[in-house]
Amino acid sequence: MEQENKTAVSEFLLLGLSEKPEHQIFLFGLFLPMYLVTIFGNLLIILAIITDSHLHTPMYFFFCNLSFIDILSSTTIPKMLVNLWTQSKAIPFAGCLAQMYAFHLFGTMDSFLLAVMAIDRFMAIVHPLHYLAIMSPRVCGLLVVGSWLTTNLQSTVHTSLMAQLTFCAASEIPHFFCDLMPLLKLFCSETHTNELVIFAFGIFMGISPLTCILLSYICIFWVVFKIPSAQGKWKAFSTCGSHLTMVTLFYGTIFAMYLQPASPTSLKKDKAAALMCGVVIPMLNPFIYSLRNKNMKAALRKLVSKVVPSQS
């Protein structure tokens, strides 16, 4: 009987954010502009940094990479928009695994880049005289490549283990994309190994970037508080303001959603957290960084003036 409930699943049904037909157009109209703002906002940041030689520094190199990741981290949204518009819920098995791979790759990469940016701010404030020597192009490149390799390893392992398991006949996923935990609940085969791997990677990938950020800012605060003048303190802290805002938004979302006891509303919290990390935060990051940064605003004005020349 158990064998009869097992099947080779060729596609899944994504139940989405709401199963009510009257909500579909509203959700489509809400998320399409947000997705477009995310793409064009982060592209503008990348182009502004690339075209302005004054921004060819470690800090902006890392932010350019973060903007690139923010574009990629919203890869689950196009399929959600298509499903909302066509009223279709189907996604192929391969497409489901690809979504899971991408979401965990780019979501984890976000946290690693925030950690790398914290290291950059630590070097700039605690070791200002040796900053450019320490944060050389080679070191910056190695930090980004190392982050890519580590996060790719995690996503590859999760996806490979998932592809080997046997699914039950039921193929409905109560989410708007293929996430790891909702997929695990559809398995008929033993998932103990997957759960151990998820726990191990979760501990390492979650704690190591956060620890790096906390230690960096503890050292930064310690040095800044020793500066005698209030103006000097403000100047030092002002270079960290945008990064601290992004860190607070990213980890604040995770803590608010996940550090709570399991409840009947846990699924709704998971969806809300996924929307925050995959849609809202990538959309807000360009505004957070550009609105609080004079150099970034100047570079954006210069870029826009090239694209839309003055008529005078």
Side-chain angles (χ1 to χ4, degrees):
M1 188 64 131
E2 186 182 355
Q3 279 299 120
E4 292 176 2
N5 289 332
K6 298 180 181 179
T7 184
V9 176
S10 61
E11 67 177 19
F12 295 97
L13 296 178
L14 297 171
L15 300 186
L17 297 172
S18 173
E19 296 186 57
K20 296 181 178 180
E22 62 269 22
H23 292 170
Q24 307 304 305
I25 298 300
F26 169 76
L27 291 171
F28 180 85
L30 175 66
F31 288 112
L32 178 61
M34 293 175 73
Y35 177 68
L36 294 176
V37 169
T38 300
I39 300 299
F40 289 117
N42 282 290
L43 273 177
L44 274 176
I45 294 293
I46 293 170
L47 289 172
I49 292 172
I50 290 174
T51 56
D52 193 328
S53 59
H54 296 98
L55 302 184
H56 293 177
T57 64
M59 181 175 75
Y60 293 105
F61 170 73
F62 294 133
F63 184 57
C64 185
N65 276 273
L66 183 66
S67 291
F68 177 63
I69 294 300
D70 281 343
I71 291 173
L72 297 178
S73 66
S74 58
T75 51
T76 59
I77 305 306
K79 179 60 179 172
M80 180 183 76
L81 291 172
V82 169
N83 287 359
L84 287 170
W85 183 254
T86 62
Q87 305 287 309
S88 170
K89 299 178 181 180
I91 182 171
F93 177 69
C96 194
L97 290 182
Q99 271 199 344
M100 188 192 74
Y101 179 91
F103 181 77
H104 287 276
L105 169 64
F106 301 129
T108 311
M109 189 64 187
D110 250 342
S111 65
F112 270 69
L113 275 179
L114 289 173
V116 167
M117 292 169 79
I119 294 172
D120 173 71
R121 292 300 82 211
F122 164 77
M123 292 298 178
I125 293 172
V126 179
H127 302 287
L129 299 179
H130 306 288
Y131 170 60
L132 290 178
I134 296 172
M135 300 300 290
S136 64
R138 181 173 178 273
V139 170
C140 293
L142 286 173
L143 286 169
V144 172
V145 170
S147 299
W148 271 109
L149 291 175
T150 306
T151 52
N152 263 289
L153 174 63
Q154 173 198 229
S155 292
T156 301
V157 170
H158 284 326
T159 307
S160 300
L161 289 173
M162 193 74 73
Q164 296 172 18
L165 296 176
T166 305
F167 290 88
C168 297
S171 60
E172 291 186 345
I173 301 174
H175 216 308
F176 66 89
F177 75 101
C178 294
D179 200 5
L180 195 58
M181 297 312 294
L183 271 176
L184 272 181
K185 295 176 181 177
L186 301 180
F187 292 135
C188 291
S189 50
E190 176 58 52
T191 61
H192 183 65
T193 301
N194 295 71
E195 289 166 0
L196 282 177
V197 170
I198 291 169
F199 178 77
F201 271 115
I203 292 293
F204 176 74
M205 297 295 194
I207 291 179
S208 53
L210 182 58
T211 302
C212 184
I213 292 169
L214 290 175
L215 290 176
S216 295
Y217 274 104
I218 287 170
C219 295
I220 289 171
F221 290 152
W222 181 260
V223 169
V224 168
F225 283 131
K226 289 182 178 179
I227 298 174
S229 69
Q231 186 178 359
K233 286 186 174 72
W234 171 250
K235 186 177 179 180
F237 273 134
S238 65
T239 64
C240 303
S242 298
H243 180 252
L244 272 174
T245 304
M246 288 189 285
V247 168
T248 303
L249 193 59
F250 183 82
Y251 281 101
T253 299
I254 293 172
F255 292 153
M257 298 297 177
Y258 292 120
L259 294 186
Q260 296 184 30
S263 69
T265 61
S266 294
L267 181 58
K268 292 181 180 179
K269 292 176 184 175
D270 288 345
K271 291 181 182 181
L275 284 172
M276 282 294 295
C277 294
V279 183
V280 179
I281 293 175
M283 180 186 69
L284 292 179
N285 277 349
F287 296 101
I288 292 169
Y289 218 89
S290 58
L291 292 176
R292 302 189 61 168
N293 189 303
K294 291 180 180 178
N295 294 331
M296 196 71 247
K297 283 192 282 189
L300 286 169
R301 280 195 294 267
K302 190 185 298 184
L303 177 65
V304 171
S305 68
K306 288 179 182 178
V307 176
V308 187
S310 174
Q311 299 299 316
S312 58

